[in-house]
Amino acid sequence: MNRDLPSGWTLVTLADVLREPLANGRSLPAREDGFPVLRATALRPVTVDFTQTKGGDDTARTRPPALAEPGDLLVSRVSGSRTLVGEGALVDILPQATAFPDTMIRVRALSSLLDPRYLAHLWNSPVVRRQIEDRTRQGGAAIYRINHRDLEQILLPLPALGEQARVVSQVKDHLAQIDATVTRTRRAAEQAEGLIYSMSAQASVGRLSGTDRAPGSLPGVGTHDGALPSLPASWRWTRLESIAEVTRGVAKNSRRQWDPADVEVPCLRVANVQRGRLDLDDVPVVRLPAQRALAAQLHSGDVLLTGGGDRGQLGRGWIWEEQLPHCVHQDHVFRARVIGQQMHPKLLAWHASGFGRKWCERNATQVTGLASIGLGKIRLMPVPIAPPAEQQRLVDLLDAHLTSLKVACAAAERALAIADQLRSNLLQQAFTGQLTPAAPSPGHQESSL
């Protein structure tokens, strides 16, 4: 930490300003209608979110639960993520008596030395976060933790109480402006993303074609098709199996004996196949017999569809475009390879991520919290087929519009990254004494109170 602080500022440890020793919370056995206990997600930046609670059985222990009090700073003691260890939030307004669990540490500071609001903002600044992450230790099962002794040694830049109040006031004003900009930017990005999905879903069932429409119908095959949308008169409904070869990917077989002749190839998981895109940042590899790997290899234009996971996300997917050599897909991802150019792969992918996703949700099975749809079932998904010339016109039209919307989404993501950096820079300056006082407004006179 930069120790060259302005005149009147001192550098103290957390131990120097404690009113009481640091204390862990206590966990209570779960009880749906029990005493409110904070969840880990309650530790939002700056203040505790008291809507994030769960029920605990306070009658099951001889000792009473550890209760939060206004002015307490609650700090995350353990987490599966290094960046969340040591995260702190102020108990500001306490709506009801609420306990905090043993995964949190309570900090009570001397109000004569430290404004709790100042501590809350300082705790979430780079000045403290860097120290916490340096002191964080990894325990078993990839769990990160920090102990009382390390927290007590955290260095805090401390001005007089009046200056603390001024810093808090300025930080709040600046953060409010940044947060308002972030909210507007996220709303705009969500609207642009919503337009992408809406336009692609509308195009796939001919609603951008502007022609007379006929009611949609298909012979029943034992699936829950629902009411099929009407289509332009020149279009028709069919089943996926009639226009594409649909196959399941490779299954992991840990019992198969390792063979030195096996080859290692990238293998797409469900998490890699997103709605309207492929996320290829983390693609695992599998070992397969060479012939099996060759037979399962993806080809450019293959449409990938998810067949397992969250019920509302089944059927989502996008097109493979040879991004990785010799890539295959796992058995919870389906590959649809269009036969004889009957349907443009983009139209199929857009349709599957819109109508198809809802169809899969209706026809899925649910076991122990996970949903899945079988190969035989997904082959029966209803698919709308347009004349070839109309297909290409729709793809060209949507590509032009979607490119503009994606550019807008990318710009929004860059703006959000800049906002995060501005927030970090602001807090760094505020708690190293570099945030200059705001100029008084015209006609302002200093109050004597």
Side-chain angles (χ1 to χ4, degrees):
M1 180 191 295
N2 181 7
R3 297 170 186 263
D4 298 328
L5 296 172
S7 175
W9 289 56
T10 58
L11 201 59
V12 301
T13 66
L14 180 63
D16 296 329
V17 295
L18 289 178
R19 173 165 58 92
E20 297 179 15
L22 299 177
N24 292 351
R26 289 193 287 278
S27 291
L28 300 176
R31 196 181 82 193
E32 187 174 347
D33 59 345
F35 195 85
V37 181
L38 292 173
R39 298 178 183 271
T41 51
L43 299 185
R44 301 290 173 84
V46 185
T47 56
V48 174
D49 179 0
F50 281 95
T51 67
Q52 297 295 308
T53 61
K54 57 186 176 181
D57 186 0
D58 60 326
T59 65
R61 298 291 177 90
T62 56
R63 291 192 303 164
L67 301 181
E69 295 182 5
D72 289 349
L73 183 79
L74 299 180
V75 176
S76 171
R77 185 172 67 87
V78 296
S79 176
S81 169
R82 180 184 290 273
T83 59
L84 296 180
V85 174
E87 185 179 43
L90 175 68
V91 178
D92 187 12
I93 299 174
L94 189 66
Q96 62 179 329
T98 305
F100 60 97
D102 67 352
T103 56
M104 297 181 189
I105 298 172
R106 183 194 66 208
V107 179
R108 286 181 175 165
L110 288 164
S111 58
S112 59
L113 296 177
L114 189 57
D115 184 330
R117 300 168 302 160
Y118 177 89
L119 177 60
H121 284 289
L122 169 60
W123 202 263
N124 287 282
S125 74
V127 172
V128 168
R129 280 304 314 168
R130 281 194 290 265
Q131 297 182 68
I132 289 175
E133 291 184 14
D134 286 344
R135 289 170 166 79
T136 296
R137 296 174 172 82
Q138 185 173 3
I143 297 297
Y144 298 90
R145 62 185 72 242
I146 192 165
N147 61 35
H148 290 198
R149 182 179 302 173
D150 285 328
L151 280 181
E152 289 173 345
Q153 298 309 307
I154 296 292
L155 294 172
L156 308 175
L158 203 64
L161 284 173
E163 178 66 3
Q164 291 179 36
R166 183 193 72 80
V167 169
V168 168
S169 178
Q170 282 200 269
V171 165
K172 285 178 64 178
D173 288 345
H174 288 305
L175 286 180
Q177 295 178 42
I178 293 173
D179 290 343
T181 300
V182 166
T183 298
R184 290 193 299 269
T185 302
R186 282 183 176 152
R187 187 178 300 123
E190 289 168 1
Q191 290 172 343
E193 190 171 7
L195 279 172
I196 289 173
Y197 297 144
S198 176
M199 286 187 68
S200 58
Q202 296 290 322
S204 70
V205 291
R207 293 206 173 108
L208 302 184
S209 297
T211 62
D212 293 337
R213 306 179 70 80
S217 63
L218 267 177
V221 290
T223 54
H224 302 290
D225 293 338
L228 296 179
S230 60
L231 296 176
S234 58
W235 292 42
R236 63 184 175 88
W237 280 103
T238 188
R239 302 279 176 185
L240 180 58
E241 64 181 1
S242 70
I243 60 106
E245 295 176 351
V246 187
T247 61
R248 188 187 296 277
V250 298
K252 289 185 178 179
N253 187 354
S254 57
R255 297 181 180 179
R256 195 179 71 83
Q257 191 170 12
W258 183 79
D259 187 331
D262 287 352
V263 296
E264 206 169 62
V265 293
C267 181
L268 300 182
R269 302 169 294 145
V270 169
N272 299 125
V273 182
Q274 297 295 317
R275 188 180 180 188
R277 64 185 178 88
L278 299 178
D279 182 353
L280 304 179
D281 289 339
D282 181 17
V283 179
V285 296
V286 295
R287 292 189 64 87
L288 295 170
Q291 289 299 320
R292 178 74 178 102
L294 183 62
Q297 185 173 318
L298 293 168
H299 296 173
S300 183
D302 286 347
V303 178
L304 296 164
L305 306 171
T306 56
D310 182 76
R311 192 179 192 93
Q313 299 300 321
L314 296 177
R316 74 185 181 202
W318 194 236
I319 304 162
W320 182 250
E321 297 174 296
E322 302 285 357
Q323 294 94 328
L324 299 172
H326 313 301
C327 191
V328 299
H329 56 108
Q330 71 162 206
D331 57 346
H332 289 299
V333 176
F334 299 115
R335 181 215 74 195
R337 183 171 294 165
V338 176
I339 303 168
Q341 299 181 337
Q342 295 182 70
M343 187 175 188
H344 197 292
K346 284 188 176 180
L347 287 176
L348 176 56
W350 287 328
H351 174 70
S353 291
F355 170 93
R357 194 164 53 90
K358 295 177 181 178
W359 184 89
C360 287
E361 186 174 355
R362 287 196 302 271
N363 287 275
T365 56
Q366 188 94 20
V367 179
T368 62
L370 293 177
S372 64
I373 189 162
L375 177 61
K377 187 68 69 68
I378 202 168
R379 284 173 170 164
L380 300 176
M381 178 195 296
V383 176
I385 305 296
E390 179 66 5
Q391 290 190 36
Q392 190 59 54
R393 186 191 74 82
L394 286 171
V395 169
D396 293 342
L397 175 67
L398 256 72
D399 275 344
H401 285 293
L402 298 188
T403 296
S404 298
L405 289 171
K406 288 175 181 177
V407 168
C409 288
E413 290 298 322
R414 290 194 297 271
L416 292 174
I418 292 171
D420 285 342
Q421 188 59 53
L422 285 173
R423 183 180 288 107
S424 179
N425 292 344
L426 166 69
L427 294 174
Q428 175 71 27
Q429 292 179 6
F431 297 107
T432 53
Q434 300 174 57
L435 196 61
T436 58
S441 58
H444 172 80
Q445 292 185 346
E446 194 71 33
S447 171
S448 60
L449 297 178

